Amino acid sequence: MRLRISELCDTLEQDVYNEIQPIGLDEISTSSERIKKIALGKLAYQNIKVESEKVGKLIKRKSVRALLIAAIVICLSCATVFALNNSIFFRQIFGDDISTIENSIQSPRVVVHDSKIKMSIESILSDGYVSYLVVSLEKLNGDKFTIDEKPRFAIHEEPIMKGSSLSKYGTKELKNNIEGGSKKYYSIIASSDTKIIDNNISIEFKGMYKYDDKFGEECTLKSSLSVNINHTDNKNCKYAVIESPQKDSKYYFTEVYISPIGLVIKGKENTVTPEPLMYRIQIKFNNGNTEKISYNSQSGDSMSGSVHRDSGTFSYLFEFNKLKDINEIKSILLNNKEYLFK
Amino acid sequence: MEDKMLIIGIKKNDEECFKMLIDKYSNYVSVIICNIAGGTMTTQDIEELAADVFVAIWNKAEKIDNRYGNIKPYIGAMARNITKSRLRTLKVLPVSLDDDVIIASVDDVQKKAIESEQKEIINQFVETFSQLDREIFIRYYFLYEKIKKISQHLNVNEATVKTKLSRCREKLKKCLNERGYECET
């Protein structure tokens, strides 16, 4: 064992070096704001762990899974979450101007891992119906992901509710210049025609796959990790004022809800028919301008979403491709009838 | 805000004081980390580690002696220790200092003996230096600053800095020899 002078200096008295300012204090390129955000995030995560231990939450191993699985259930309702610098990813999803949603982005920083891979839930943006999740995957051995490796995720509502229609679609790799090739970021869009407020969402990572013309689909990294995250309500939304339902008409609306990321129209049919119900939907702005809302990719701001009609109830769900400033939206016209937002 | 008030605030879990502490000392911590790690860390790594330093200070706030009005030396020592500890975990060596090894081979018994006397040895030793020699010694062996930067900062040529460091080492060896430890020649 060697003894170094620098090690001897570990026990120098404070008075000896107190007055000596390191050289280059003004030239360092680190940011105190970023350090603050990271430090506060670490303190918050520390608090989450302490609270989890207090209520008896444990790291579980699910013996029914084939490989090593770590499932961490963390209740976030008692913790403070700090918005980290994840706006870069939402700019990739929505464009440069994300001012209407920036305060709504949550950063739970929940992490699970097995011996091969680590999954982190980096951030969530949700209005209760539409949820955007930014998830990262990191190979723990430092190997890089190949360009054709694609992850598989599954999403469930926990606990599973009768009639829950939570579905996942649109996993997309996000550009990331921060990490090396062993860590990738993905956006996952999940939607439900039933508003998820108090339940958790369970995200399951099922492995990496690639498709080869010659050999078909191949699993390159088998894993099964799952994590539950608290899916809290987003207050950045408006409801339309619906008058007493007109029960003498074929159908009537029960709820119209808009957020910067989506629109939900719900109602009931007095007479169930196979005919389409909605033929014209427009939102009207404070300045009098209107914008058509449609699943038709040919028109304006194309949108995705879903329609559910079942046993006399219906719901139309639209995810906006471009963010809407709900403070600028006055009303909605449904089949030429205007409903004001409050 | 004065350090004394920041210490009191952090002991009371005041996050505003914590933020102010970071604002005041983030550059100081970052420079120490950067010097010790050499070129092995990116800016993001340094920021991450700096955050760890401040979180450690928060977690150990109870142990900070707030009779002293100045927390800077405590922060500096914490930054140094956490950086070296992290580099050990990553199996990366801190930046190599010339002639850092003072005793080539120390058995466990000797190591324990030195550890018990270490604080006395190094502090008494440094007290014997002139102000300039002490500053050069501390900048090089404590703050891991490069000889070129030290010479520019103190407006002393590099050869002089090297000579002074060499004389400091010789004095330290003599001091250790007198206490019965065999040093590198």
Side-chain angles (χ1 to χ4, degrees), chain B residues 143-161:
Chain B
L143 294 173
Y144 285 76
E145 290 177 354
K146 301 219 183 306
I147 288 177
K148 185 174 179 180
K149 279 197 172 174
I150 294 171
S151 77
Q152 285 169 350
H153 180 75
L154 295 175
N155 204 21
V156 171
N157 69 45
E158 283 186 45
T160 304
V161 172

PDB file of all heavy atoms in Angstrom, chain B residues 143-161:
ATOM      1  N   LEU B 143      -5.930  21.017  -3.948  1.00  0.00           N
ATOM      2  CA  LEU B 143      -6.903  21.418  -4.965  1.00  0.00           C
ATOM      3  C   LEU B 143      -6.612  20.799  -6.337  1.00  0.00           C
ATOM      4  O   LEU B 143      -7.380  21.007  -7.276  1.00  0.00           O
ATOM      5  CB  LEU B 143      -6.942  22.949  -5.113  1.00  0.00           C
ATOM      6  CG  LEU B 143      -7.474  23.690  -3.886  1.00  0.00           C
ATOM      7  CD1 LEU B 143      -7.314  25.204  -4.059  1.00  0.00           C
ATOM      8  CD2 LEU B 143      -8.934  23.359  -3.628  1.00  0.00           C
ATOM      9  N   TYR B 144      -5.528  20.061  -6.460  1.00  0.00           N
ATOM     10  CA  TYR B 144      -5.162  19.370  -7.703  1.00  0.00           C
ATOM     11  C   TYR B 144      -5.014  20.327  -8.880  1.00  0.00           C
ATOM     12  O   TYR B 144      -5.287  19.976 -10.021  1.00  0.00           O
ATOM     13  CB  TYR B 144      -6.217  18.289  -8.058  1.00  0.00           C
ATOM     14  CG  TYR B 144      -6.157  17.047  -7.209  1.00  0.00           C
ATOM     15  CD1 TYR B 144      -6.634  17.040  -5.918  1.00  0.00           C
ATOM     16  CD2 TYR B 144      -5.636  15.863  -7.724  1.00  0.00           C
ATOM     17  CE1 TYR B 144      -6.571  15.886  -5.142  1.00  0.00           C
ATOM     18  CE2 TYR B 144      -5.585  14.707  -6.958  1.00  0.00           C
ATOM     19  CZ  TYR B 144      -6.051  14.734  -5.667  1.00  0.00           C
ATOM     20  OH  TYR B 144      -6.004  13.595  -4.912  1.00  0.00           O
ATOM     21  N   GLU B 145      -4.551  21.545  -8.603  1.00  0.00           N
ATOM     22  CA  GLU B 145      -4.392  22.485  -9.721  1.00  0.00           C
ATOM     23  C   GLU B 145      -3.082  22.227 -10.434  1.00  0.00           C
ATOM     24  O   GLU B 145      -2.114  21.758  -9.858  1.00  0.00           O
ATOM     25  CB  GLU B 145      -4.449  23.926  -9.188  1.00  0.00           C
ATOM     26  CG  GLU B 145      -5.858  24.292  -8.716  1.00  0.00           C
ATOM     27  CD  GLU B 145      -5.962  25.679  -8.116  1.00  0.00           C
ATOM     28  OE1 GLU B 145      -4.924  26.346  -7.944  1.00  0.00           O
ATOM     29  OE2 GLU B 145      -7.096  26.077  -7.793  1.00  0.00           O
ATOM     30  N   LYS B 146      -3.070  22.537 -11.716  1.00  0.00           N
ATOM     31  CA  LYS B 146      -1.893  22.248 -12.525  1.00  0.00           C
ATOM     32  C   LYS B 146      -0.800  23.295 -12.278  1.00  0.00           C
ATOM     33  O   LYS B 146      -1.079  24.456 -11.960  1.00  0.00           O
ATOM     34  CB  LYS B 146      -2.273  22.229 -14.009  1.00  0.00           C
ATOM     35  CG  LYS B 146      -3.336  21.208 -14.352  1.00  0.00           C
ATOM     36  CD  LYS B 146      -3.039  20.540 -15.673  1.00  0.00           C
ATOM     37  CE  LYS B 146      -4.111  19.563 -16.077  1.00  0.00           C
ATOM     38  NZ  LYS B 146      -4.432  18.562 -15.101  1.00  0.00           N
ATOM     39  N   ILE B 147       0.433  22.869 -12.463  1.00  0.00           N
ATOM     40  CA  ILE B 147       1.587  23.731 -12.186  1.00  0.00           C
ATOM     41  C   ILE B 147       1.535  24.998 -13.043  1.00  0.00           C
ATOM     42  O   ILE B 147       1.789  26.111 -12.570  1.00  0.00           O
ATOM     43  CB  ILE B 147       2.901  22.964 -12.419  1.00  0.00           C
ATOM     44  CG1 ILE B 147       3.074  21.953 -11.291  1.00  0.00           C
ATOM     45  CG2 ILE B 147       4.091  23.915 -12.509  1.00  0.00           C
ATOM     46  CD1 ILE B 147       4.285  21.069 -11.421  1.00  0.00           C
ATOM     47  N   LYS B 148       1.132  24.833 -14.287  1.00  0.00           N
ATOM     48  CA  LYS B 148       1.092  25.987 -15.202  1.00  0.00           C
ATOM     49  C   LYS B 148       0.099  27.035 -14.685  1.00  0.00           C
ATOM     50  O   LYS B 148       0.389  28.232 -14.662  1.00  0.00           O
ATOM     51  CB  LYS B 148       0.675  25.502 -16.594  1.00  0.00           C
ATOM     52  CG  LYS B 148       0.727  26.588 -17.640  1.00  0.00           C
ATOM     53  CD  LYS B 148       0.437  26.026 -19.028  1.00  0.00           C
ATOM     54  CE  LYS B 148       0.476  27.150 -20.049  1.00  0.00           C
ATOM     55  NZ  LYS B 148       0.206  26.676 -21.408  1.00  0.00           N
ATOM     56  N   LYS B 149      -1.084  26.552 -14.263  1.00  0.00           N
ATOM     57  CA  LYS B 149      -2.116  27.481 -13.783  1.00  0.00           C
ATOM     58  C   LYS B 149      -1.666  28.164 -12.489  1.00  0.00           C
ATOM     59  O   LYS B 149      -1.909  29.349 -12.291  1.00  0.00           O
ATOM     60  CB  LYS B 149      -3.423  26.728 -13.527  1.00  0.00           C
ATOM     61  CG  LYS B 149      -4.233  26.486 -14.770  1.00  0.00           C
ATOM     62  CD  LYS B 149      -5.669  26.119 -14.426  1.00  0.00           C
ATOM     63  CE  LYS B 149      -6.507  26.062 -15.665  1.00  0.00           C
ATOM     64  NZ  LYS B 149      -7.863  25.592 -15.424  1.00  0.00           N
ATOM     65  N   ILE B 150      -0.999  27.370 -11.622  1.00  0.00           N
ATOM     66  CA  ILE B 150      -0.529  27.928 -10.358  1.00  0.00           C
ATOM     67  C   ILE B 150       0.489  29.034 -10.644  1.00  0.00           C
ATOM     68  O   ILE B 150       0.455  30.112 -10.057  1.00  0.00           O
ATOM     69  CB  ILE B 150       0.101  26.835  -9.464  1.00  0.00           C
ATOM     70  CG1 ILE B 150      -0.980  25.820  -9.035  1.00  0.00           C
ATOM     71  CG2 ILE B 150       0.745  27.468  -8.228  1.00  0.00           C
ATOM     72  CD1 ILE B 150      -0.423  24.589  -8.333  1.00  0.00           C
ATOM     73  N   SER B 151       1.393  28.751 -11.566  1.00  0.00           N
ATOM     74  CA  SER B 151       2.457  29.724 -11.847  1.00  0.00           C
ATOM     75  C   SER B 151       1.865  31.006 -12.439  1.00  0.00           C
ATOM     76  O   SER B 151       2.271  32.116 -12.084  1.00  0.00           O
ATOM     77  CB  SER B 151       3.505  29.120 -12.786  1.00  0.00           C
ATOM     78  OG  SER B 151       3.053  29.091 -14.103  1.00  0.00           O
ATOM     79  N   GLN B 152       0.881  30.850 -13.315  1.00  0.00           N
ATOM     80  CA  GLN B 152       0.240  32.043 -13.916  1.00  0.00           C
ATOM     81  C   GLN B 152      -0.515  32.838 -12.862  1.00  0.00           C
ATOM     82  O   GLN B 152      -0.464  34.067 -12.828  1.00  0.00           O
ATOM     83  CB  GLN B 152      -0.727  31.612 -15.027  1.00  0.00           C
ATOM     84  CG  GLN B 152      -0.045  31.178 -16.289  1.00  0.00           C
ATOM     85  CD  GLN B 152      -1.008  30.506 -17.273  1.00  0.00           C
ATOM     86  OE1 GLN B 152      -2.145  30.196 -16.951  1.00  0.00           O
ATOM     87  NE2 GLN B 152      -0.523  30.275 -18.483  1.00  0.00           N
ATOM     88  N   HIS B 153      -1.220  32.121 -12.002  1.00  0.00           N
ATOM     89  CA  HIS B 153      -2.053  32.791 -11.000  1.00  0.00           C
ATOM     90  C   HIS B 153      -1.205  33.565  -9.993  1.00  0.00           C
ATOM     91  O   HIS B 153      -1.536  34.689  -9.592  1.00  0.00           O
ATOM     92  CB  HIS B 153      -2.911  31.747 -10.274  1.00  0.00           C
ATOM     93  CG  HIS B 153      -3.812  32.311  -9.218  1.00  0.00           C
ATOM     94  ND1 HIS B 153      -4.964  33.009  -9.527  1.00  0.00           N
ATOM     95  CD2 HIS B 153      -3.727  32.309  -7.872  1.00  0.00           C
ATOM     96  CE1 HIS B 153      -5.560  33.388  -8.419  1.00  0.00           C
ATOM     97  NE2 HIS B 153      -4.825  32.987  -7.392  1.00  0.00           N
ATOM     98  N   LEU B 154      -0.081  32.925  -9.595  1.00  0.00           N
ATOM     99  CA  LEU B 154       0.760  33.552  -8.563  1.00  0.00           C
ATOM    100  C   LEU B 154       1.864  34.416  -9.172  1.00  0.00           C
ATOM    101  O   LEU B 154       2.663  35.014  -8.437  1.00  0.00           O
ATOM    102  CB  LEU B 154       1.381  32.460  -7.683  1.00  0.00           C
ATOM    103  CG  LEU B 154       0.383  31.651  -6.850  1.00  0.00           C
ATOM    104  CD1 LEU B 154       1.082  30.520  -6.108  1.00  0.00           C
ATOM    105  CD2 LEU B 154      -0.352  32.542  -5.861  1.00  0.00           C
ATOM    106  N   ASN B 155       1.888  34.417 -10.475  1.00  0.00           N
ATOM    107  CA  ASN B 155       2.894  35.228 -11.182  1.00  0.00           C
ATOM    108  C   ASN B 155       4.319  34.802 -10.795  1.00  0.00           C
ATOM    109  O   ASN B 155       5.197  35.627 -10.520  1.00  0.00           O
ATOM    110  CB  ASN B 155       2.678  36.713 -10.855  1.00  0.00           C
ATOM    111  CG  ASN B 155       3.244  37.607 -11.935  1.00  0.00           C
ATOM    112  OD1 ASN B 155       3.443  37.170 -13.071  1.00  0.00           O
ATOM    113  ND2 ASN B 155       3.528  38.842 -11.593  1.00  0.00           N
ATOM    114  N   VAL B 156       4.475  33.498 -10.789  1.00  0.00           N
ATOM    115  CA  VAL B 156       5.772  32.882 -10.463  1.00  0.00           C
ATOM    116  C   VAL B 156       6.062  31.911 -11.600  1.00  0.00           C
ATOM    117  O   VAL B 156       5.148  31.249 -12.072  1.00  0.00           O
ATOM    118  CB  VAL B 156       5.654  32.111  -9.124  1.00  0.00           C
ATOM    119  CG1 VAL B 156       6.868  31.271  -8.842  1.00  0.00           C
ATOM    120  CG2 VAL B 156       5.365  33.071  -7.980  1.00  0.00           C
ATOM    121  N   ASN B 157       7.323  31.828 -12.020  1.00  0.00           N
ATOM    122  CA  ASN B 157       7.518  30.953 -13.176  1.00  0.00           C
ATOM    123  C   ASN B 157       7.421  29.479 -12.790  1.00  0.00           C
ATOM    124  O   ASN B 157       7.575  29.106 -11.628  1.00  0.00           O
ATOM    125  CB  ASN B 157       8.794  31.295 -13.960  1.00  0.00           C
ATOM    126  CG  ASN B 157      10.042  30.971 -13.178  1.00  0.00           C
ATOM    127  OD1 ASN B 157      10.144  29.898 -12.586  1.00  0.00           O
ATOM    128  ND2 ASN B 157      10.997  31.874 -13.206  1.00  0.00           N
ATOM    129  N   GLU B 158       7.153  28.653 -13.784  1.00  0.00           N
ATOM    130  CA  GLU B 158       6.857  27.241 -13.531  1.00  0.00           C
ATOM    131  C   GLU B 158       8.007  26.532 -12.842  1.00  0.00           C
ATOM    132  O   GLU B 158       7.793  25.693 -11.960  1.00  0.00           O
ATOM    133  CB  GLU B 158       6.548  26.517 -14.865  1.00  0.00           C
ATOM    134  CG  GLU B 158       5.152  26.806 -15.383  1.00  0.00           C
ATOM    135  CD  GLU B 158       4.792  25.991 -16.610  1.00  0.00           C
ATOM    136  OE1 GLU B 158       5.054  24.770 -16.613  1.00  0.00           O
ATOM    137  OE2 GLU B 158       4.229  26.563 -17.569  1.00  0.00           O
ATOM    138  N   ALA B 159       9.226  26.855 -13.241  1.00  0.00           N
ATOM    139  CA  ALA B 159      10.404  26.193 -12.643  1.00  0.00           C
ATOM    140  C   ALA B 159      10.455  26.460 -11.148  1.00  0.00           C
ATOM    141  O   ALA B 159      10.778  25.573 -10.345  1.00  0.00           O
ATOM    142  CB  ALA B 159      11.672  26.679 -13.319  1.00  0.00           C
ATOM    143  N   THR B 160      10.090  27.683 -10.772  1.00  0.00           N
ATOM    144  CA  THR B 160      10.078  28.039  -9.348  1.00  0.00           C
ATOM    145  C   THR B 160       9.023  27.228  -8.599  1.00  0.00           C
ATOM    146  O   THR B 160       9.271  26.747  -7.484  1.00  0.00           O
ATOM    147  CB  THR B 160       9.799  29.544  -9.181  1.00  0.00           C
ATOM    148  OG1 THR B 160      10.753  30.282  -9.923  1.00  0.00           O
ATOM    149  CG2 THR B 160       9.845  29.961  -7.712  1.00  0.00           C
ATOM    150  N   VAL B 161       7.841  27.088  -9.207  1.00  0.00           N
ATOM    151  CA  VAL B 161       6.767  26.307  -8.576  1.00  0.00           C
ATOM    152  C   VAL B 161       7.239  24.872  -8.370  1.00  0.00           C
ATOM    153  O   VAL B 161       7.076  24.284  -7.292  1.00  0.00           O
ATOM    154  CB  VAL B 161       5.486  26.338  -9.441  1.00  0.00           C
ATOM    155  CG1 VAL B 161       4.429  25.380  -8.900  1.00  0.00           C
ATOM    156  CG2 VAL B 161       4.914  27.755  -9.511  1.00  0.00           C
TER     157      VAL B 161
END
